[in-house]
Amino acid sequence: MANEQMLLCRREPGNKGSTDDMFLLRDKEITIPEHIEKNANVTSIKNMLNELFGMSFLELDPDTGVFRPSYRDFMAFLFQPQNIVANADVLFYKADTMEHRKKLIDVFPYALGAVTPETLAKRKEIERLSKISERYRRDLEQIKVVAEGWRQEVAGWLTQAHEYGLTDYVTNDTDGFARQVDELRIISQKRIADASVASTQVAYLSEDIVALRQEEQQISSELFAARRRHTEMLQLMQSMGKYDKSLQIQLDRLDISTWIRSNMIEQNVLPIFQPSHENVMDDIDALCSAIEQIERTTTEMAVVPAAFEREMQTVQVQIQELTDKLEAIQNRIRVESQSLVAHREENYTLESISRFLGRIDSAISTYERIGTDSELQAKLDEVNARIEQLKKEVNEAEIRRKLDYALGYISTEMGKILAQLDVEHPEDPAEFVIKDLTVRVKNQAGRDDYLWEIGSASNWLSYHIALILALHRFFQTKSSVNIPNFIVFDQPSQVYFPRTRYSPDEAELQLNDDDKNAVRKIFESLSIFVKDAGFGIQIIVTEHADDDIWGNIPDSRIHLVEKWRNNVKLVPVEWLE
């Protein structure tokens, strides 16, 4: 209902932390009742306010952690309490906590009209799925890292099962890992009675160990060669670094020749040469040419280490792969060698075969719990496909365009307001940075300074006021989102008047004229903003500064509500009675 009044009350909780009991009264014109009773709760009031603010009610999956924008998120734009209004590190109400800060960063594109609630939900879903995708990717890489160990271990079990007569299967390089696991599953279902030890099977085990020893020797040779290459590359990199450093020292020492040449051209005379000295310029040119050659050499050398770095990473990966493979083969040799050590007769007892079948069954259970890389890859592909689909629907390029327009508009408005305030360099362009929730100023030297890098509380206060006013001009004239059209500034003059000016027992403090003028600029700027806004807005200032500072501003839009002194309180005493 347009132009209506609303009264909201929440019961004082007493000894409890909070209460859900609320009272709501809405009408064109309301009268505060003598007595009230509960007629609403917190949830119903939140839903009503979200509706009034034009918030969209999305059916969101509670498991995704995706939030919907709420009217409560916009309170950050309405209040500048005493601990925030001149803060170098925090620009917005409640943004000093990580939870609210993160949520405000997420909601800003919605507040600026760059995204819809549906787009916000999709972006949060992309963020959630991206974390899942990264987890799947890491798991898949881990499976690939241990895959060689699994293969060698499974191959060793199959060899031992062949020795016990539990299978006729013989491992070979053509069969895939899945085929070997399937055979292991068949073996795990067999009983002790199925075992049959034969001399040919025992001989097969010995032959397999010999083959493994040969493979171990081959991989060990390859690993030694890779490590030697890695050592040589490290030495070469160090030598190149030293050579490059020596070239730079030469350049630094010989740079004086450039200065000499410039003086020869400009003044046609050198203090270290007599005017009669012949071929001076030729000598200087030769020296400068030599330096240019050194510079070219230095540039060429700077490119080489990058190529070496890539090659070194390749060698490091190769060393890791060979190390893993060597470890896996050595583990398999140890497993199979157990059948050839002392007390061999115990290895072929029924009890030994029973323990072997138990280990196989446990290994199969573990493998099935972990899953195969193909299953994990399918899940990863599915998640990535969903992410790509959501990215197409979100259209980040259009969002970026809208954000750039909004931030450019806000920056321009900030510049107009800063020119009226007590800021050190009002002509320096200032812009709002969403991802950091701060202001960035480009100084006259072209360097970007963030708010926390700029000194003086008066500067911090000015940027706070300028940004909040600029944001409200955008909200009320450019954005389709419903932001309440009021702002509360709490004691902005604290930067200039750190003490309370008024005391009934003391004379008023003598204030510096510069401080008075600075505070006056604050009220002048707020008054001009209200007058020239072109839309209805109310700015509420709680302040110790008296009307001798703000009372005589021409064409003022300032209205004194109350002086809370001499037992006059913000909450009327009769309310408590």
Side-chain angles (χ1 to χ4, degrees):
M1 185 182 298
N3 301 319
E4 70 173 2
Q5 295 182 346
M6 182 183 302
L7 175 65
L8 289 172
C9 304
R10 189 171 185 177
R11 185 170 62 83
E12 201 279 325
N15 295 329
K16 298 180 179 179
S18 62
T19 177
D20 194 54
D21 298 342
M22 295 198 67
F23 172 80
L24 169 65
L25 183 62
R26 296 175 62 181
D27 207 336
K28 284 287 187 180
E29 186 172 344
I30 64 173
T31 301
I32 298 178
E34 293 290 334
H35 303 282
I36 61 175
E37 294 182 1
K38 172 188 175 182
N39 64 359
N41 58 39
V42 172
T43 301
S44 64
I45 295 298
K46 287 181 179 179
N47 290 337
M48 179 201 69
L49 291 176
N50 274 327
E51 184 177 355
L52 290 176
F53 276 65
M55 296 296 169
S56 198
F57 291 91
L58 300 177
E59 295 297 330
L60 300 178
D61 183 358
D63 296 330
T64 65
V66 177
F67 70 93
R68 71 163 181 247
S70 165
Y71 75 93
R72 302 178 73 182
D73 299 319
F74 297 154
M75 298 302 104
F77 309 133
L78 308 182
F79 297 100
Q80 285 280 294
Q82 188 174 357
N83 67 314
I84 298 294
V85 72
N87 196 314
D89 301 309
V90 183
L91 271 176
F92 299 101
Y93 175 57
K94 285 192 174 182
D96 49 347
T97 65
M98 186 57 65
E99 177 186 359
H100 287 90
R101 183 180 182 86
K102 178 66 169 65
K103 193 171 183 183
L104 187 58
I105 292 173
D106 289 337
V107 85
F108 237 109
Y110 174 74
L112 296 179
V115 301
T116 63
E118 291 81 3
T119 305
L120 264 183
K122 289 177 180 178
R123 293 179 85 176
K124 296 298 290 185
E125 179 69 359
I126 290 173
E127 182 179 334
R128 185 186 72 88
L129 291 175
S130 296
K131 292 179 180 178
I132 295 176
S133 174
E134 178 62 21
R135 187 174 72 248
Y136 284 165
R137 187 190 62 78
R138 289 197 304 267
D139 291 346
L140 192 60
E141 288 181 354
Q142 184 63 25
I143 287 177
K144 291 179 178 178
V145 168
V146 302
E148 189 62 33
W150 270 88
R151 288 185 174 90
Q152 295 294 344
E153 193 169 358
V154 169
W157 287 335
L158 289 172
T159 301
Q160 194 168 356
H162 190 276
E163 181 187 10
Y164 287 147
L166 295 171
T167 180
D168 294 329
Y169 176 80
V170 178
T171 56
N172 57 76
D173 297 334
T174 59
D175 287 345
F177 182 57
R179 169 69 182 88
Q180 295 179 352
V181 172
D182 289 340
E183 183 63 29
L184 212 58
R185 285 195 181 96
I186 296 173
I187 296 171
S188 67
Q189 301 302 316
K190 292 189 176 183
R191 297 172 297 176
I192 299 177
D194 297 324
S196 175
V197 179
S199 59
T200 54
Q201 294 164 344
V202 175
Y204 169 76
L205 177 61
S206 301
E207 294 171 359
D208 190 54
I209 292 178
V210 172
L212 287 173
R213 292 290 186 188
Q214 293 175 349
E215 187 175 359
E216 178 190 24
Q217 182 62 40
Q218 176 64 30
I219 295 176
S220 178
S221 300
E222 294 176 8
L223 180 59
F224 176 78
R227 284 180 174 171
R228 184 176 60 185
R229 176 169 173 75
H230 184 255
T231 301
E232 292 172 349
M233 293 182 71
L234 281 176
Q235 293 174 344
L236 182 57
M237 285 287 288
Q238 292 174 357
S239 300
M240 291 170 62
K242 292 178 181 178
Y243 179 58
D244 183 62
K245 185 177 180 180
S246 67
L247 288 178
Q248 189 59 49
I249 292 174
Q250 291 183 51
L251 284 174
D252 294 339
R253 290 174 177 173
L254 298 175
D255 191 53
I256 191 174
S257 64
T258 305
W259 175 79
I260 294 175
R261 172 188 274 177
S262 65
N263 276 272
M264 284 290 292
I265 296 174
E266 295 174 3
Q267 303 175 15
N268 198 27
V269 65
L270 284 171
I272 61 175
F273 293 109
Q274 295 295 329
S276 59
H277 192 283
E278 298 179 357
N279 302 323
V280 172
M281 203 62 196
D282 293 340
D283 294 340
I284 295 301
D285 285 338
L287 182 59
C288 290
S289 298
I291 292 176
E292 290 171 359
Q293 180 62 34
I294 295 176
E295 288 177 342
R296 284 195 296 271
T297 304
T298 305
T299 304
E300 293 170 358
M301 291 295 294
V303 179
V304 177
F308 264 83
E309 186 67 28
R310 289 192 296 270
E311 179 64 21
M312 186 176 295
Q313 290 177 357
T314 302
V315 174
Q316 289 171 342
V317 170
Q318 182 184 10
I319 290 174
Q320 184 63 50
E321 291 176 350
L322 290 172
T323 302
D324 293 341
K325 191 172 183 179
L326 182 62
E327 182 181 2
I329 289 177
Q330 289 173 344
N331 287 336
R332 182 178 168 187
I333 290 174
R334 281 193 291 269
V335 170
E336 296 189 6
S337 294
Q338 291 176 358
S339 300
L340 299 177
V341 296
H343 308 294
R344 183 181 181 87
E345 64 277 3
E346 296 181 2
N347 290 325
Y348 298 102
T349 62
L350 295 179
E351 182 182 356
S352 176
I353 296 173
S354 177
R355 288 197 300 268
F356 172 76
L357 289 173
R359 290 198 304 271
I360 295 298
D361 186 63
S362 176
I364 290 297
S365 298
T366 302
Y367 175 79
E368 290 177 344
R369 237 182 3 253
I370 295 176
T372 65
D373 57 350
S374 59
E375 293 174 352
L376 193 57
Q377 184 66 54
K379 292 180 180 179
L380 179 61
D381 293 342
E382 182 181 353
V383 170
N384 287 341
R386 176 59 179 159
I387 291 174
E388 291 304 315
Q389 179 61 36
L390 288 172
K391 286 182 177 179
K392 292 178 181 178
E393 296 174 4
V394 167
N395 194 352
E396 292 290 346
E398 179 63 14
I399 293 174
R400 184 71 257 173
R401 186 192 67 79
K402 291 181 179 180
L403 278 179
D404 288 344
Y405 167 76
L407 294 175
Y409 180 91
I410 292 168
S411 179
T412 300
E413 292 301 314
M414 283 183 65
K416 298 176 184 177
I417 299 167
L418 287 169
Q420 306 166 15
L421 293 170
D422 181 34
V423 65
E424 189 172 357
H425 296 291
E427 71 281 357
D428 289 351
E431 60 179 344
F432 174 57
V433 184
I434 293 178
K435 67 181 181 67
D436 297 314
L437 290 184
T438 191
V439 170
R440 182 169 58 203
V441 181
K442 186 176 289 294
N443 64 25
Q444 296 178 357
R447 186 187 70 236
D448 288 335
D449 292 325
Y450 289 90
L451 187 61
W452 61 78
E453 298 175 312
I454 300 172
S456 174
S458 61
N459 283 325
W460 304 335
L461 171 68
S462 297
Y463 286 115
H464 272 255
I465 293 175
L467 175 62
I468 293 297
L469 294 182
L471 282 171
H472 273 267
R473 183 176 294 280
F474 181 86
F475 291 151
Q476 306 302 334
T477 62
K478 303 294 182 182
S479 177
S480 59
V481 179
N482 295 330
I483 307 291
N485 54 344
F486 73 88
I487 313 170
V488 177
F489 291 105
D490 181 20
Q491 297 189 41
S493 72
Q494 64 181 297
V495 170
Y496 306 98
F497 308 152
R499 294 177 55 191
T500 302
R501 294 189 55 220
Y502 180 85
S503 174
D505 300 326
E506 299 178 7
E508 289 195 354
L509 302 175
Q510 295 299 316
L511 303 177
N512 183 285
D513 287 341
D514 290 339
D515 289 341
K516 281 187 176 182
N517 291 333
V519 177
R520 180 185 174 89
K521 285 182 179 181
I522 296 173
F523 286 96
E524 286 177 340
S525 299
L526 298 179
S527 179
I528 291 172
F529 184 83
V530 172
K531 181 182 67 174
D532 298 340
F535 53 86
I537 187 168
Q538 182 183 37
I539 300 177
I540 302 171
V541 183
T542 58
E543 185 53 76
H544 290 298
D546 282 331
D547 53 7
D548 63 323
I549 294 178
W550 49 261
N552 58 350
I553 295 176
D555 197 17
S556 172
R557 294 297 188 269
I558 299 175
H559 170 66
L560 176 64
V561 175
E562 186 60 82
K563 289 186 177 181
W564 293 315
R565 297 168 183 165
N566 300 324
N567 208 33
V568 177
K569 307 295 183 181
L570 174 61
V571 177
V573 177
E574 58 267 23
W575 284 20
L576 303 178
E577 296 174 347

